[in-house]
Amino acid sequence: MNQQEQPRIEKFVVRFPAGMRDHIAAASRLGHRSMNAEIVARLQHSLGHWPDSLPVARHAAPAGDEECYLLDRFRGLPPAKRQALLALLD
Protein backbone atom coordinates (compact mmCIF):
# COMPACT_ATOMS: atom_id res chain seq x y z
CA MET A 1 0.00 0.00 0.00
CA ASN A 2 1.51 3.35 -0.98
CA GLN A 3 1.06 6.65 0.89
CA GLN A 4 -1.88 7.78 -1.25
CA GLU A 5 -3.82 4.57 -0.46
CA GLN A 6 -3.26 4.71 3.31
CA PRO A 7 -6.21 5.92 5.34
CA ARG A 8 -5.80 9.31 6.96
CA ILE A 9 -5.25 9.09 10.71
CA GLU A 10 -6.09 12.08 12.84
CA LYS A 11 -4.69 12.64 16.31
CA PHE A 12 -6.73 14.18 19.10
CA VAL A 13 -5.61 14.72 22.70
CA VAL A 14 -8.22 13.89 25.34
CA ARG A 15 -8.05 14.69 29.05
CA PHE A 16 -9.72 11.98 31.13
CA PRO A 17 -11.21 12.48 34.57
CA ALA A 18 -9.30 10.77 37.37
CA GLY A 19 -9.63 7.00 37.19
CA MET A 20 -11.11 6.81 33.70
CA ARG A 21 -7.81 5.75 32.12
CA ASP A 22 -7.73 2.73 34.44
CA HIS A 23 -11.29 1.80 33.45
CA ILE A 24 -10.41 2.04 29.76
CA ALA A 25 -7.27 -0.03 30.29
CA ALA A 26 -9.28 -2.75 32.05
CA ALA A 27 -11.95 -2.78 29.34
CA SER A 28 -9.33 -2.95 26.60
CA ARG A 29 -7.65 -5.93 28.29
CA LEU A 30 -11.00 -7.75 28.49
CA GLY A 31 -11.62 -7.04 24.82
CA HIS A 32 -8.07 -8.04 23.83
CA ARG A 33 -7.39 -4.75 22.09
CA SER A 34 -5.37 -1.59 22.61
CA MET A 35 -6.71 1.30 24.63
CA ASN A 36 -6.90 3.35 21.45
CA ALA A 37 -8.93 0.63 19.70
CA GLU A 38 -11.24 0.41 22.73
CA ILE A 39 -11.87 4.16 22.73
CA VAL A 40 -12.44 4.26 18.96
CA ALA A 41 -14.82 1.27 19.09
CA ARG A 42 -16.86 2.85 21.87
CA LEU A 43 -17.02 6.20 20.08
CA GLN A 44 -18.08 4.52 16.85
CA HIS A 45 -20.80 2.60 18.68
CA SER A 46 -22.02 5.73 20.47
CA LEU A 47 -22.03 7.88 17.33
CA GLY A 48 -23.64 5.07 15.33
CA HIS A 49 -26.65 5.24 17.64
CA TRP A 50 -26.78 9.03 17.78
CA PRO A 51 -29.21 10.86 17.99
CA ASP A 52 -31.43 7.87 18.91
CA SER A 53 -29.51 7.47 22.16
CA LEU A 54 -30.10 11.04 23.33
CA PRO A 55 -32.34 11.37 26.37
CA VAL A 56 -35.93 12.32 25.72
CA ALA A 57 -36.95 15.70 27.09
CA ARG A 58 -38.66 15.30 30.43
CA HIS A 59 -39.12 17.22 33.63
CA ALA A 60 -36.26 17.12 36.10
CA ALA A 61 -38.69 16.26 38.91
CA PRO A 62 -42.14 14.72 38.83
CA ALA A 63 -44.81 17.40 39.01
CA GLY A 64 -45.75 18.10 42.60
CA ASP A 65 -42.59 16.52 44.04
CA GLU A 66 -40.22 19.38 43.29
CA GLU A 67 -39.46 20.18 46.94
CA CYS A 68 -38.73 16.57 47.88
CA TYR A 69 -36.61 16.14 44.77
CA LEU A 70 -34.57 19.26 45.53
CA LEU A 71 -34.13 18.30 49.17
CA ASP A 72 -32.93 14.80 48.24
CA ARG A 73 -30.48 16.22 45.72
CA PHE A 74 -29.25 18.79 48.25
CA ARG A 75 -28.70 16.10 50.90
CA GLY A 76 -26.65 14.09 48.42
CA LEU A 77 -24.21 16.94 47.82
CA PRO A 78 -20.81 17.04 49.52
CA PRO A 79 -20.71 19.55 52.43
CA ALA A 80 -18.65 22.11 50.50
CA LYS A 81 -21.16 22.16 47.65
CA ARG A 82 -24.04 22.49 50.10
CA GLN A 83 -22.37 25.53 51.64
CA ALA A 84 -21.71 27.04 48.21
CA LEU A 85 -25.33 26.57 47.20
CA LEU A 86 -26.58 28.10 50.43
CA ALA A 87 -24.23 31.06 49.92
CA LEU A 88 -25.74 31.62 46.47
CA LEU A 89 -29.23 31.68 47.94
CA ASP A 90 -28.37 34.32 50.54
Side-chain angles (χ1 to χ4, degrees), residues 27-61:
S28 67
R29 281 192 300 274
L30 287 173
H32 302 287
R33 52 185 166 197
S34 70
M35 287 178 62
N36 186 77
E38 183 70 30
I39 293 166
V40 170
R42 288 173 180 252
L43 285 172
Q44 286 174 329
H45 176 76
S46 175
L47 293 172
H49 293 87
W50 186 82
D52 298 335
S53 61
L54 294 177
V56 177
R58 58 190 163 125
H59 296 289

Side-chain angles (χ1 to χ4, degrees):
M1 186 182 287
N2 65 33
Q3 276 193 336
Q4 289 179 338
E5 294 173 347
Q6 291 180 351
R8 181 173 168 210
I9 297 174
E10 298 181 24
K11 292 183 180 183
F12 186 81
V13 176
V14 178
R15 292 179 191 89
F16 295 122
M20 184 176 281
R21 188 179 193 287
D22 292 337
H23 287 283
I24 295 168
S28 67
R29 281 192 300 274
L30 287 173
H32 302 287
R33 52 185 166 197
S34 70
M35 287 178 62
N36 186 77
E38 183 70 30
I39 293 166
V40 170
R42 288 173 180 252
L43 285 172
Q44 286 174 329
H45 176 76
S46 175
L47 293 172
H49 293 87
W50 186 82
D52 298 335
S53 61
L54 294 177
V56 177
R58 58 190 163 125
H59 296 289
D65 287 340
E66 293 89 352
E67 288 181 32
C68 290
Y69 176 79
L70 287 171
L71 187 56
D72 286 342
R73 294 294 305 263
F74 178 78
R75 287 179 177 153
L77 292 173
K81 288 190 177 184
R82 284 188 201 176
Q83 291 301 320
L85 183 56
L86 290 172
L88 285 173
L89 296 173
D90 282 339

